[in-house]
Amino acid sequence: MNIIQKTALTLTIIGGINWLLVGIFKFDLVAAIFGEMSVFTRVGLAALINIVLLFMDLDTPRDIKRRMKE
């Protein structure tokens, strides 16, 4: 996993925990920390990155994939 993947995964986990808190306690932790309607509360960039990662084959290194196609 590279740094972008780890960052996206971390942000997605934080977002999931935040939605759990919103659903159960009606408490928005991210908004409490960063403020209402900040960039962090409005942009789901981590989710978009994880959607791309969902369709990538991360188990096989790219150079091995190239050799298998030859």
Side-chain angles (χ1 to χ4, degrees):
M1 242 194 249
N2 65 25
I3 190 73
I4 293 174
Q5 293 169 336
K6 287 181 181 179
T7 303
L9 180 60
T10 301
L11 292 173
T12 303
I13 291 168
I14 291 169
I17 292 169
N18 188 57
W19 276 111
L20 176 71
L21 292 172
V22 169
I24 294 175
F25 302 112
K26 298 194 184 327
F27 176 68
D28 190 350
L29 180 63
V30 175
I33 293 172
F34 296 109
E36 294 285 330
M37 301 310 266
S38 71
V39 174
F40 294 107
T41 59
R42 296 178 70 195
V43 178
L45 183 60
L48 296 176
I49 291 171
N50 283 324
I51 289 171
V52 172
L53 293 176
L54 179 64
F55 296 103
M56 290 178 61
D57 183 14
L58 300 177
D59 295 332
T60 307
R62 290 182 185 156
D63 60 336
I64 293 175
K65 280 180 165 176
R66 269 187 263 137
R67 285 187 218 149
M68 290 172 58
K69 287 181 182 178
E70 293 176 354

